[in-house]
Structure formats: C-alpha cells, structure tokens
Amino acid sequence: PKLSLEQVNGLVPAEFHKTFENVIECWPEAAIFCSALLPFKSLNALINAFENYIDRLPSESKVKILRLHPDLAGKLLDSKELTSDSSIEQKSAGLDNLAAEEKAKLNEYNERYKAQFGFPFIVCVREASKFETILRSVTERIFNSIDQELEIAVGEVKKICRLRILQLVDL
C-alpha cells in the first residue's frame, strides 16, 4: 500500500531512508539528505527535494549515479540481479522478452554508448515503454556531446526517481 503524505512526514529518519533508499538507483545518500527536509508540504515538494538534491551534486557525483544504473536488457536482468525497481521497470518495457537479435542489437549499442560516455545508456523505460523507442533513443543519443548526454541522462534519472516516488506515495 502507498503511503500518504502525512505518513511520509511521520516517518523517523531511518524509516524514511529505508522507504526511499532506491528512488535514485543504488544511491541511498539522497534519501538520507532529503530526510533532513521533513516535513514536506506536498508530494511535489518531496519530488522536488530529490530532484534538487541531484541538481546540486558536482558532476563527478552525477556520473557516479549514472554508473550505478544497470544496462538495459543486460547481464543483471538475465541473472536476475537487478534491484526490484529496475527489474519491474525493464520487464514493463518487455526487455526481459526480447528476441535474440533485438537483445544483441541493444547490447551492442549499450557497449558503444558506455565506451563513448563512460556510463550506461539511461532512459526512463516506463515512459519509453517499447523496445523500438528505446533503440531509437540510444541510436540518436550516441551522437550527442558528453555535456549534452550528461544533462539528458541526469534528466532521465529524475524521471525514474519521480515515478518511483509516485509508486510509494499516494497523490
């Protein structure tokens, strides 16, 4: 069951940390920071707290966050080692049921992208939702500059974060 904003505001810091520890993939520091901002006046204020946290990070920390994201349809999906959030998200886009040639094509682009930018290709798959959309996105974004791609990838992390918070908290 989702929490109400009142319930979120009533969480002790340790409970807040545990509840929101993975809204930014494998980066519980965000929940620790945002717990100090309790109480939140609205759900948007809660979401904005996490987004502002990301925005204020130095570039090196943003890149660290990006590097914590798994490859889409990659080895961690195959070995069932994704976080539960990532597993649900990748399955919702059908990435667990790709044909062998689709998977090979996406893995090839993932590797090219990582070689070029130093972090995995990140897209909010719940918004992209189809393999073709995801593949088109990576084939277009691979031509971006590092600065453009850092900005786009961080924007995708924020979308993922927002959707994960909306899964936890009632409107």
Side-chain angles (χ1 to χ4, degrees):
K2 291 184 177 185
L3 298 171
S4 68
L5 183 63
E6 186 178 321
Q7 288 171 313
V8 169
N9 286 332
L11 294 174
V12 297
E15 292 170 326
F16 187 94
H17 303 163
K18 184 73 177 142
T19 302
F20 294 96
E21 69 184 352
N22 202 51
V23 295
I24 298 172
E25 185 79 11
C26 299
W27 193 265
E29 291 89 342
I32 293 167
F33 177 87
C34 291
S35 70
L37 304 175
L38 283 164
F40 296 98
K41 291 183 180 183
S42 66
L43 179 56
N44 279 338
L46 172 62
I47 292 168
N48 289 339
F50 279 92
E51 290 179 350
N52 292 335
Y53 168 83
I54 295 169
D55 287 339
R56 288 194 300 264
L57 290 173
S59 292
E60 306 80 49
S61 295
K62 290 176 183 174
V63 170
K64 283 181 185 176
I65 287 173
L66 298 177
R67 287 182 179 151
L68 291 170
H69 279 260
D71 289 348
L72 297 177
K75 293 176 185 135
L76 293 178
L77 177 64
D78 293 341
S79 63
K80 299 184 180 357
E81 295 179 51
L82 292 173
T83 64
S84 63
D85 292 313
S86 284
S87 180
I88 290 165
E89 291 158 357
Q90 290 201 28
K91 286 179 181 181
S92 76
L95 298 180
D96 58 331
N97 288 317
L98 294 177
E101 58 275 6
E102 292 173 325
K103 188 173 186 58
K105 187 177 269 191
L106 185 55
N107 284 330
E108 175 191 336
Y109 275 106
N110 278 335
E111 292 307 314
R112 284 178 56 195
Y113 183 97
K114 279 194 292 192
Q116 183 166 338
F117 296 112
F119 50 83
F121 173 70
I122 299 168
V123 66
C124 181
V125 295
R126 286 197 281 167
E127 287 188 356
S129 77
K130 290 188 176 152
F131 169 73
E132 295 78 16
T133 307
I134 294 165
L135 189 63
R136 183 173 59 250
S137 184
V138 70
T139 59
E140 291 170 357
R141 285 173 48 190
I142 205 157
F143 295 104
N144 287 338
S145 70
I146 184 71
D147 289 339
Q148 289 171 311
E149 202 47 37
L150 183 61
E151 183 179 334
I152 292 168
V154 167
E156 294 297 313
V157 168
K158 288 184 200 177
K159 290 178 190 177
I160 294 164
C161 177
R162 178 178 50 82
L163 290 173
R164 288 181 178 182
I165 291 171
L166 290 173
Q167 279 190 291
L168 297 168
V169 184
D170 231 347
L171 292 174

